[in-house]
Amino acid sequence: MDGATVLPRSPPGQLVLHVIADEDDEPIRGARIEWIFDDDRPPATTDELGDVTLEVPMADEHPNEADTWIEVGAPGRAAESVHVTVAAGAVQRETVHLEIAFSVSGTVRDTTGQAIAGAQIVAGDGMVCITPAPEIATATSDASGRFRLDGLPLDAVIEYTIADGEHTARRLRRGRRDSSPLDIVLDDGGTLRGVLRGPDGAPVAGGRVRVKSLSHGYGELVGIEPTWSAEDGHWEIGGLALDSRWEVTAGHGDFMDSVSLVVEALGPDRRESSCDLVLRPLATVIVDLDFAAPHAPSTARLLPETDYEESCPVPGRVSFPVRTPGGWAVRCGVEGLGPQRASTEIAPGETKTLRVRFDEGASLAGLAVDDTGAAVGNATIQVDANGRWPREAVAGPDGRFVVSALEEGPHEVTVTATNHAQWTDDEVDAPADALRCELPRFGVLALQLRAPDGTTPPTSRWVHWNDYPVYGSDEGPWDAGRVEQALPPGSYIVAVRVAGYVKWEERDIEVFPGEHTETVEIELDPGVRLTGRVVDPDGEGVPWATLFFDLSISETDGEGNFRSPPLAEGVHEVHVYNLPGVLEARVEVDHDTPPLLIRQQRGSLVQVTISGPTREKLDECWVRVSRSDSADDADAEWLDEPDTPELFVGRFAPGPHRISVVREDEVVATREVELRDGHDVAIEITLAK
């Protein structure tokens, strides 16, 4: 090795996962473990005790610990992502709770009823305000158009996306636990095509062409991916809605983006359109960096708003290609000096120079104290911890601190100290020299859990506390049922769960600064277990159906039989899900209830199609279903959010019902209908212009 020193590689860590069922803490055998960011690592499975041991190697750049992301899944369970930091040579143990999940099957067809093979069906978390929704599960339709999605969380609104690149893509949302068949019809789509050219008129290969709908409120339509121009500059995008106007733009690394072109709405008689796009000359911004006062040479980080981060020696200069005309801005920082901003306006083909000069910047000074006014020494002060230029300082023994090298203006400041509640303010203007940050002392929550006399003591307990935004949980050994937890002062809802007992014991507990609460005694309730069977409308047992007993979950076996988790005294409402094509069952039971026979009803599938003068008007409509013999609409239900603005679907019990079309909180049309069990209903409603 020519005398080079080879440093020994750090020993790997071990990650021991214990995978259990969320509803009863039973181990899950055969759970699949996959590495999220390492496709080369083979998956692993848990043993009969629900355990698996994974070797976690250390990287050369981080020899002491490894950030590890694992996905854990099992049949009939929602997958769980686990983020763990494992130290070199250490054993890290983690317990993973997997919740019961459900599946959805369906078909994808065109308007003539022909199966569409190869369509991509993506289930996303519709409870997150991101478009598209974060992915949960995916499937591809087979030659007969059929597909199945597994591992869907019971308590999530699911957003489904269906696209094949030729027909018009669809997006629809389903409510919680809706496992009814997802039979999708994709309309015929239109096609845009053209040639991408450079400023000199020559064809350009490798350009990225993207389209955006101008006729739909949610911007870019789902399933329409950008395309790339071929060697001769030609490009083509299919699967476009025929009633939409489209904005088309192209980009390329060597040019400024093209001018956006607007294509008028395609239609049944005009399914294709052509438009050529012309890229513009690239522009350039040169940033000249120096110090406002004498300073040792250093390195700056530069963060342009429209490009990747760069670094540059100071004094020095760096050039940025600009691919979008108009305003251009950059933020620059040097360690120990105040960050700087610079901006300009730029047109195609232009070159401009910006001068940036670094100085000491602004500072924040203040005092950290507790609820009694005593100084809090060694408190940590973080400024813009999640920003581009985070700063941090530690208070002295007298609680005083100074944070330097800040931009002038508002900052988010957080002060933390051991056994003290944090202090946060997201609008602290710099400079400032008299901040007073009060960090109340922690109090101690004390619980004593007691199992019934003569029973075997539990092995573990789980405690959750919530005084939002302060919340957390602790899973630990039984330890004679004694629980002590240091917490910031607040009014907490404290919940306790112990395997084999009624799932939740909740208490409202006030925690005061610097004090122990009086010990709260909680007698664990073994409850009782209800048994029974779930059958379909024909009297056949329903296997693997999900039952909810208030907040507790169970499922039927292969014959439709079930045994509930421990239930407290009183009346409970039992909900049965996971049965496509039938109504949800609700049964009230108490401790004197004999074994249950829960028989499902098919109900009536209601399909409402509405038509109106414009697509925009239809986008604003919803359909509500209520009992005609009810005095008010207190029990009214809204039909599922549609996969098209015209189609609404839901399943309801037999009886007289009123169908109402609502737009902007006003009922604009109604229909009366008598629903019969097992008979589906299709209703067409035309709105007045």
Side-chain angles (χ1 to χ4, degrees), residues 432-482:
D433 58 6
L435 289 179
R436 183 179 176 85
C437 309
E438 183 176 312
L439 289 71
R441 294 165 296 160
F442 275 8
V444 176
L445 166 71
L447 304 176
Q448 179 62 58
L449 311 181
R450 299 194 184 280
D453 292 340
T455 61
T456 301
T459 58
S460 63
R461 85 295 183 276
W462 187 87
V463 180
H464 178 81
W465 54 89
N466 187 0
D467 180 22
Y468 189 83
V470 178
Y471 59 91
S473 60
D474 175 65
E475 183 176 10
W478 176 244
D479 194 21
R482 182 70 180 174

Side-chain angles (χ1 to χ4, degrees), residues 15-29 31-33 46 49-52 54 70-74 77-84 92-99 462 475 497:
L15 175 59
V16 181
L17 295 180
H18 180 54
V19 183
I20 59 177
D22 183 67
E23 68 276 11
D24 57 11
D25 294 343
E26 288 295 317
I28 298 177
R29 178 181 182 180
R32 183 179 175 88
I33 317 298
T46 55
L49 299 178
D51 296 331
V52 64
L54 307 172
I70 302 289
E71 182 169 274
V72 184
R77 302 278 167 176
E80 189 74 23
S81 295
V82 180
H83 177 211
V84 182
Q92 178 82 14
R93 300 181 183 275
E94 295 287 334
T95 299
V96 182
H97 296 260
L98 294 187
E99 297 181 351
W462 187 87
E475 183 176 10
R497 187 176 73 186

Side-chain angles (χ1 to χ4, degrees), residues 91-374:
V91 177
Q92 178 82 14
R93 300 181 183 275
E94 295 287 334
T95 299
V96 182
H97 296 260
L98 294 187
E99 297 181 351
I100 293 175
F102 69 101
S103 61
V104 167
S105 299
T107 59
V108 185
R109 300 184 182 278
D110 63 20
T111 53
T112 69
Q114 294 297 310
I116 297 177
Q120 296 295 310
I121 302 92
V122 178
D125 185 352
M127 302 177 71
V128 179
C129 298
I130 300 175
T131 301
E135 183 179 303
I136 296 173
T138 62
T140 303
S141 60
D142 61 19
S144 61
R146 298 185 180 278
F147 66 88
R148 178 185 173 93
L149 290 161
D150 293 307
L152 304 180
L154 292 171
D155 289 330
V157 174
I158 307 296
E159 180 177 283
Y160 297 96
T161 300
I162 305 94
D164 74 335
E166 296 182 12
H167 298 79
T168 302
R170 293 291 188 223
R171 176 185 288 141
L172 66 144
R173 293 161 68 88
R174 288 275 189 88
R176 294 173 175 85
R177 309 181 184 94
D178 188 343
S179 60
S180 55
L182 195 63
D183 295 323
I184 302 299
V185 175
L186 297 184
D187 293 334
D188 292 339
T191 301
L192 293 179
R193 58 172 59 90
V195 177
L196 180 61
R197 302 184 184 277
D200 60 357
V204 175
R208 184 173 183 265
V209 182
R210 56 195 182 276
V211 297
K212 182 174 72 173
S213 170
L214 300 178
S215 304
H216 293 77
Y218 48 85
E220 285 195 52
L221 289 183
V222 63
I224 301 176
E225 301 293 335
T227 191
W228 302 89
S229 60
E231 289 296 325
D232 59 0
H234 280 83
W235 57 269
E236 181 177 304
I237 297 179
L240 306 179
L242 296 181
D243 59 351
S244 180
R245 298 169 66 239
W246 298 94
E247 181 182 84
V248 191
T249 310
H252 190 284
D254 296 335
F255 302 95
M256 183 172 278
D257 292 352
S258 70
V259 174
S260 296
L261 299 181
V262 174
V263 178
E264 293 305 316
L266 301 172
D269 300 326
R270 181 172 174 258
R271 297 181 182 274
E272 299 182 358
S273 184
S274 297
C275 60
D276 290 351
L277 301 170
V278 179
L279 298 165
R280 293 173 286 183
L282 196 67
T284 302
V285 173
I286 300 171
V287 182
D288 186 88
L289 305 167
D290 208 342
F291 300 107
H295 192 283
S298 188
T299 299
R301 289 175 59 212
L302 293 92
L303 300 171
E305 293 181 350
T306 58
D307 214 323
Y308 297 105
E309 177 179 335
E310 292 278 0
S311 61
C312 178
V314 184
R317 59 172 44 194
V318 62
S319 296
F320 290 95
V322 181
R323 298 177 179 85
T324 303
W328 188 91
V330 64
R331 303 182 70 180
C332 312
V334 169
E335 187 65 34
L337 297 177
Q340 301 293 321
R341 300 171 184 245
S343 62
T344 187
E345 294 285 327
I346 196 161
E350 279 192 318
T351 298
K352 288 192 173 181
T353 300
L354 297 177
R355 292 170 57 84
V356 175
R357 298 296 179 260
F358 294 101
D359 56 30
E360 292 184 352
S363 63
L364 293 172
L367 177 66
V369 297
D370 67 16
D371 53 284
T372 69

